Amino acid sequence: MNRAEPSYREWIARSLARALLADATRPGGTAPGALRARAAATLGSDAPWLAPLIEALGRRSSATWRRTDLPALAQAIHDLPEFDAAFEQDEPPRVRRIILRPAQMFPRPLGLDHLALPALPALPTHTELARWLDLDPQRLEWLASPAQAFRAPQGTSPGPARHYRYQLQPKRLGGLRLLEIPRPELKRAQRRILDELLARVPVHEAAHGFVPGRSVASHAAAHAGKAVVIGFDLRDFFAGVRASRVHATWRTLGYPDGVARTLTALCTHRTDAAVIERLRDDGGLDVMGGKRLAEPHLPQGSPCSPALANLCAFRLDLRLEGLAWVFGATYTRYADDLVFSGDESLRLRFDALRAWVGGIAADEGFELHPRKLRCMPRHRQQRVTGVVVNDRPNAPRADFDRLRALLHQCTLHGPASQNAAGLADFRGHLLGRIAWFGQFSPTRQARLRRLFDRIEWPAGAAPA
């Protein structure tokens, strides 16, 4: 059913599916008589083979009909043995009339309608999506097009559409990190999708990254004072989330297939080949990493990517939380950082836990980083996303000492002398680092703030 040119049998099945779905949500719309009447209207006659076909389809529940879309029903009709009889006649069936139903949202599964989701905007068509984003439909089509394969719309400069710019940043432990940053127009659309769609959808309770009310501190606190802390990292977390998984998320939220595909195209990206080659030349990208970037994926740098990654990892979190329960452990996740903690028996079963976590991650479309496995007993320093958790969550003393020394040098020689990275907002950067310590120790934060207040900033620097 996915071929560009459907067969005649597929064409008939799809036409019948359109007719059967036309009034399926109305009272009595899925009764055998109503279904058969719409099928007969499409074919121009009430063929004898329609009766057993409709009888087979009529066994579906009303809930199933409400959740059935056109591709799924067309495939079901195509595969039914009762449909074979249509092509055993002297004259094959013909489509006399196309019956369409109005575009509509689909019901959401798992009781999601009882949460905050009814407030999600209903966007059943491409036109309504464009209006909601304050875009012309043609402009929306251009923004959702593959970056290198679309002619620029009328009134704009010719050439390929380039919706992203790239930044390569050095990683703390070596290698380069790729940031794929959307251009302003696309970023505005993504920001609205985040604020008015994704932010209203709850994520799994084990997810602590990019979630309001949760943080690195809450992620670490779940594992404080435990005998054993075990950490795993997912490789290429954002790039590992494929467009197909993002599309499935939009469909789960009730958006029709066409709208879901447009939303997916707005939120995913295929990295330019030249950028992939640059990363390979640096030695920090293997073959599989290159393949992940070459396919449509969540770009690291888009406002939507963290929220979508959390939603796409819901089943991963659900299964790993169940695994933790079996092992008598606690599980949380901060972006790509998976952490389990428990009593001493967890360390003795480390190999079994690692095998299970790796298998579940692979089954959910992710991959564990083989060099980032950590098993930390209590007699060693236990760190969770840079936070020491042996007794209670606390920032490492060495990190505090380094920041204190940096602030002291700023007071002696001026902030410009210490801004080796050339940060545009070095003042804000320092305040952010001070606030991070404040999550764990107001006393340390106060000491750092006193040093910060002694720094002489150049005229025009932003106020604290």
Side-chain angles (χ1 to χ4, degrees):
M1 301 294 291
N2 295 322
R3 291 192 296 271
E5 296 182 3
S7 67
Y8 189 76
R9 180 186 176 104
E10 291 169 339
W11 162 245
I12 298 297
R14 195 171 184 87
S15 299
L16 287 172
R18 287 195 181 96
L20 299 183
L21 289 172
D23 292 326
T25 58
R26 296 186 179 182
T30 58
L35 293 174
R36 186 170 177 179
R38 295 201 296 277
T42 288
L43 300 175
S45 65
D46 189 3
W49 54 267
L50 277 179
L53 178 71
I54 295 301
E55 182 181 353
L57 293 171
R59 302 189 189 106
R60 296 171 162 231
S61 68
S62 57
T64 301
W65 277 105
R66 285 196 301 272
R67 300 182 190 281
T68 298
D69 60 8
L70 178 62
L73 184 58
Q75 186 68 60
I77 293 172
H78 179 275
D79 294 342
L80 281 174
E82 291 83 357
F83 192 46
D84 295 340
F87 301 91
E88 296 171 354
Q89 313 298 314
D90 293 337
E91 185 177 344
R94 297 183 181 277
V95 175
R96 304 294 184 183
R97 185 178 293 108
I98 298 294
I99 302 177
L100 302 176
R101 70 171 176 182
Q104 61 185 16
M105 299 285 288
F106 285 86
R108 304 177 186 113
L110 303 176
L112 292 179
D113 276 323
H114 298 294
L115 301 174
L117 298 188
L120 291 181
L123 305 170
T125 67
H126 185 273
T127 301
E128 288 174 275
L129 174 60
R131 186 182 302 118
W132 180 72
L133 290 172
D134 294 325
L135 291 170
D136 180 89
Q138 290 184 333
R139 193 67 179 176
L140 174 58
E141 185 178 357
W142 178 72
L143 281 177
S145 68
Q148 303 301 321
F150 196 89
R151 187 173 59 189
Q154 187 174 4
T156 65
S157 58
R162 294 188 181 274
H163 303 313
Y164 289 81
R165 60 185 178 88
Y166 301 103
Q167 284 186 5
L168 297 176
Q169 297 183 345
K171 295 182 180 179
R172 184 170 57 90
L173 299 178
L176 295 175
R177 175 179 289 105
L178 171 65
L179 294 182
E180 300 175 298
I181 303 170
R183 300 288 183 181
E185 187 176 17
L186 178 58
K187 189 173 185 177
R188 282 193 297 271
Q190 292 175 345
R191 175 58 65 179
R192 183 156 195 182
I193 291 170
L194 171 65
D195 293 341
E196 299 188 31
L197 277 176
L198 297 172
R200 301 180 184 183
V201 184
V203 300
H204 195 279
E205 292 181 357
H208 287 256
F210 322 109
V211 180
R214 306 177 206 172
S215 63
V216 167
S218 63
H219 174 54
H223 307 283
K226 301 294 182 67
V228 177
V229 178
I230 297 175
F232 305 89
D233 271 34
L234 297 175
R235 189 197 288 269
D236 301 332
F237 180 54
F238 290 111
V241 180
R242 301 290 185 88
S244 58
R245 192 175 291 263
V246 176
H247 177 263
T249 298
W250 291 122
R251 296 289 282 126
T252 299
L253 294 177
Y255 291 98
D257 184 67
V259 172
R261 290 185 184 280
T262 300
L263 286 169
T264 299
L266 290 173
C267 299
T268 59
H269 177 58
R270 190 193 302 267
T271 307
D272 283 358
V275 177
I276 296 175
E277 285 302 317
R278 171 67 180 85
L279 290 168
R280 282 179 175 161
D281 291 343
D282 183 67
L285 188 68
D286 59 14
V287 174
M288 290 306 300
K291 288 183 176 180
R292 280 189 280 265
L293 291 176
E295 295 296 323
H297 60 273
L298 290 181
Q300 186 171 354
S302 163
C304 292
S305 291
L308 276 170
N310 277 337
L311 292 175
C312 291
F314 186 90
R315 268 184 34 119
L316 174 73
D317 291 332
L318 192 68
R319 295 177 67 180
L320 291 182
E321 184 185 48
L323 179 68
W325 181 84
V326 171
F327 277 78
T330 298
Y331 162 74
T332 62
R333 179 179 60 82
Y334 191 96
D336 58 353
D337 184 50
L338 316 176
V339 180
F340 294 78
S341 62
D343 58 27
E344 184 62 28
S345 66
L346 191 62
R347 183 166 66 92
L348 302 177
R349 295 184 289 169
F350 171 71
D351 288 339
L353 178 65
R354 177 174 56 185
W356 275 103
V357 172
I360 291 174
D363 196 39
E364 293 299 324
F366 296 97
E367 180 186 354
L368 292 185
H369 199 299
R371 297 193 301 275
K372 295 185 178 181
L373 307 179
R374 309 173 299 284
C375 184
M376 299 167 283
R378 181 174 285 173
H379 65 268
R380 292 172 45 197
Q381 189 181 77
Q382 298 169 325
R383 285 199 187 197
V384 174
T385 52
V387 180
V388 179
V389 296
N390 290 70
D391 297 311
R392 61 182 179 82
N394 201 4
R397 175 74 194 199
D399 292 354
F400 171 76
D401 290 340
R402 277 193 292 269
L403 181 55
R404 184 179 59 177
L406 174 64
L407 293 172
H408 182 66
Q409 291 298 315
C410 287
T411 63
L412 294 177
H413 307 292
S417 67
Q418 304 303 309
N419 187 9
L423 299 175
D425 186 11
F426 188 52
R427 184 188 189 109
H429 169 75
L430 293 178
L431 285 172
R433 292 180 63 180
I434 293 171
W436 188 81
F437 281 94
Q439 298 178 90
F440 313 105
S441 173
T443 302
R444 283 184 171 182
Q445 182 183 27
R447 291 173 63 186
L448 293 171
R449 183 60 197 237
R450 284 194 294 270
L451 280 172
F452 177 87
D453 289 340
R454 290 167 50 193
I455 300 173
E456 295 185 6
W457 294 93

